[in-house]
Amino acid sequence: MSLDNKDVERFQSDKSVILSDDEIKSIHFWISQMRQYRFRSIKEKIKKAKNTLKLKYNVIGSGVNRIVYDLNNGYIVKIAISNLGLKSNETEFDIYTHCPQEIKRYLCPMKEFGHGWIIMKKMKAKVPWQIIEITKLVDLQVKFVSYGILPLDLRMANVALSDENEIAVVDYGHFIRGLNSPHFRWFD
Ligand SMILES: Nc1ncnc2c1ncn2[C@@H]1O[C@H](COP(=O)(O)OP(=O)(O)OP(=O)(O)O)[C@@H](O)[C@H]1O
Ligand SMILES: [Mg+2]
């Protein structure tokens, strides 16, 4: 995906063509509240998030840092439930918009991004063992590293299949890019 000026404007203004203004307001309200629940269990945080957000969509997944809703149009929205979740959304936006084309095909496509939320393509969440094996994950790890990206937290729960049954990473919120930048060149 290459971003045109309109996309950039939308990212900066926190506007969405998928979510309504009220839904975005509701996300912002949750983000302003979530800090008070930082010492609660994940289960409690998810419950609080759901009750505060009051979105009309079904939850299709959650992790330690984000709650994921099915937008019923082929896309999902991930909403932060912790500061690390906020950071993960920012990292995914950054990685997706800056990574080389050759490895973009291994990342779940990102559609929109704003404060506390990120919209991605909906993937088939559960990867059957016969299709993806550990060796494929290792191959994928090597591929990312060869393009200067450190794929931290690349594991089964964070990969899924596209409609074409291609393996793709749905959670790249802990990836680190720029390994091929001068900052990481220790020996010259
Ligand atoms: N694009 C997607 N399509 C379908 N399901 C998804 C998608 N993205 C995430 N999910 C589901 O939601 C779950 C949580 O998403 P994700 O792993 O991004 O959250 P997280 O809180 O960042 O995770 P972690 O606990 O690893 O930090 C995933 O394990 C997956 O089941
Ligand atoms: Mg995850």
Side-chain angles (χ1 to χ4, degrees):
M1 188 186 85
S2 63
L3 297 173
D4 60 22
N5 285 345
K6 254 195 186 147
D7 285 325
V8 173
E9 224 171 77
R10 204 164 61 230
F11 292 136
Q12 285 166 350
S13 65
D14 215 6
K15 286 250 183 273
S16 166
V17 291
I18 296 179
L19 298 172
S20 67
D21 287 350
D22 279 349
E23 286 168 341
I24 290 179
K25 258 190 223 151
S26 171
I27 294 172
H28 289 173
F29 178 67
W30 159 248
I31 299 297
S32 73
Q33 298 294 300
M34 75 181 182
R35 225 182 111 73
Q36 60 186 292
Y37 307 115
R38 66 191 182 284
F39 298 122
R40 304 280 186 92
S41 68
I42 308 295
K43 209 171 149 193
E44 268 184 276
K45 266 195 227 177
I46 288 167
K47 198 169 157 203
K48 287 284 175 201
K50 267 166 89 172
N51 291 344
T52 310
L53 286 162
K54 293 189 182 72
L55 298 181
K56 63 182 178 194
Y57 312 106
N58 289 329
V59 173
I60 60 156
S62 58
V64 176
N65 299 298
R66 290 173 293 178
I67 183 166
V68 184
Y69 289 89
D70 185 353
L71 294 172
N72 301 320
N73 57 0
Y75 293 96
I76 55 100
V77 63
K78 291 193 204 186
I79 300 170
I81 56 170
S82 68
N83 278 342
L84 203 52
L86 284 178
K87 190 86 195 64
S88 291
N89 282 354
E90 284 167 14
T91 300
E92 281 172 351
F93 170 71
D94 177 70
I95 295 270
Y96 194 76
T97 49
H98 291 96
C99 75
Q101 209 56 42
E102 292 84 347
I103 57 160
K104 200 168 258 188
R105 52 190 280 245
Y106 300 109
L107 297 176
C108 177
M110 187 211 71
K111 174 91 173 147
E112 293 186 339
F113 165 79
H115 178 57
W117 57 275
I118 189 161
I119 294 180
M120 286 185 180
K121 203 166 178 241
K122 181 181 172 183
M123 310 290 260
K124 290 181 245 169
K126 292 281 169 271
V127 178
W129 275 101
Q130 55 278 31
I131 296 179
I132 180 227
E133 301 111 26
I134 295 295
T135 51
K136 284 201 181 144
L137 275 190
V138 175
D139 287 350
L140 204 53
Q141 247 154 5
V142 172
K143 195 153 274 175
F144 280 114
V145 170
S146 71
Y147 281 96
I149 291 176
L150 190 60
L152 295 185
D153 207 27
L154 182 53
R155 56 190 161 90
M156 291 295 281
N158 290 334
V159 294
L161 293 179
S162 66
D163 294 339
E164 300 77 35
N165 278 343
E166 287 280 344
I167 182 173
V169 184
V170 293
D171 179 2
Y172 40 101
H174 304 290
F175 282 20
I176 296 171
R177 76 176 171 94
L179 290 186
N180 45 5
S181 84
H183 300 290
F184 286 96
R185 233 177 268 145
W186 294 296
F187 311 103
D188 247 349

